[in-house]
Each structure stands twice: as C-alpha cells, then as structure tokens.
Amino acid sequence: MVIYSNHKVSPCNPLMKSSPSRRVIVAGDADLCRKSHFQRLAIATRALEYTRREIPNVMADVIFGFDGKILRPDGRSFAIADDAIDLAFNDDGSFRWLSDFLRFAVEPPKQRPQERLIERLRLIDLAFRIACPERAKWIAA
C-alpha cells in the first residue's frame, strides 16, 4: 500500500488522475435514502479500511482534486463549497458518526437514512463515483 498525503492509497485508488472532460453525476436524494444504497455505501467505505478520521481527508483529496465536471442528476452543475465536508458533518472534528455508519456494513439498517444525513452520504458516494466508478455502480445498483 502506498502512502500519499498521509493517506493510504487503497485498491480503489482514490488519488487517481482525472480528465477535465470526465463528468460525474451525484446521487439523487431518492437513491441516497434507499436502505440498500445506504448499506452498500457503508460496505464499500468499510472495505477501504480507513479510520473515521482518515475518511473525510480522503474524501476531500478525491473531491477537490477532481478536474472533471460534477453534475446533478438533472444535468445542472453541482458546486461544492470549500467547507462542504465540515458543514455536512456539522463541524464535528471527531467524525464519530462515521463509526456508526461503518457498522451498517455488518448490520443492515432498520430504517431509511434520515434526511439530515443526505449531504454526508452524497459526499461519500461522490468520492466513490470519482475514484472508483465500477464500485460506485455496485453501490447504486
């Protein structure tokens, strides 16, 4: 495993080079609210073997290092603020929620994710769509 910016590069290779012509479409709210999508996202995230504190840094590296275009499902541009990850996680520097989220890789969720979690899930999902398009297809299936 290679170390880059104090982050392990996984088999998913989240620090891969991107093309300015590449387009990635973020997941819609309906997809992110499905229990199956939520659990597959937890499974894929847990498989990367990052700690809860490493995950937001890797997400930032992937999302903000992407040279292509990020679009909404309707084709409009999807803008990401510099502090989007911090805002999505309510400026909780411990990222404790991620520990709970990763448990859903083993225990299926009993209910759909709450709407207040949608932006967190969207950013995690977006990092997969950018860095691991094949894995992202499995998550969204």
Side-chain angles (χ1 to χ4, degrees):
M1 202 165 287
V2 179
I3 303 294
Y4 178 83
S5 298
N6 295 324
H7 304 299
K8 297 176 277 188
V9 177
S10 73
C12 191
N13 196 10
L15 300 170
M16 68 186 225
K17 300 286 183 205
S18 61
S19 162
S21 63
R22 185 164 168 229
R23 295 172 185 248
V24 173
I25 299 172
V26 297
D29 290 2
D31 291 330
L32 293 168
C33 284
R34 287 191 344 257
K35 289 192 301 185
S36 59
H37 190 111
F38 181 73
Q39 185 176 29
R40 285 192 296 263
L41 190 57
I43 291 167
T45 304
R46 185 175 179 159
L48 296 176
E49 298 182 348
Y50 290 116
T51 68
R52 72 173 193 237
R53 291 178 190 262
E54 289 175 312
I55 292 169
N57 293 327
V58 172
M59 288 169 49
D61 287 346
V62 169
I63 293 169
F64 296 115
F66 182 62
D67 290 333
K69 294 186 185 220
I70 301 173
L71 304 172
R72 296 178 181 277
D74 65 7
R76 292 181 296 138
S77 180
F78 183 78
I80 302 173
D82 291 343
D83 59 352
I85 294 171
D86 289 330
L87 290 175
F89 287 89
N90 296 326
D91 289 318
D92 175 16
S94 71
F95 296 97
R96 278 180 255 149
W97 176 84
L98 285 166
S99 294
D100 295 331
F101 170 66
L102 295 175
R103 285 188 201 117
F104 288 111
V106 179
E107 296 178 26
K110 293 182 176 139
Q111 62 187 28
R112 297 175 343 129
Q114 298 175 359
E115 285 187 36
R116 65 185 175 88
L117 303 178
I118 295 299
E119 288 310 309
R120 294 175 190 182
L121 299 175
R122 189 180 329 275
L123 292 171
I124 295 168
D125 186 84
L126 177 59
F128 276 102
R129 288 173 186 242
I130 291 170
C132 316
E134 291 305 314
R135 188 173 290 184
K137 288 178 190 174
W138 173 81
I139 294 167

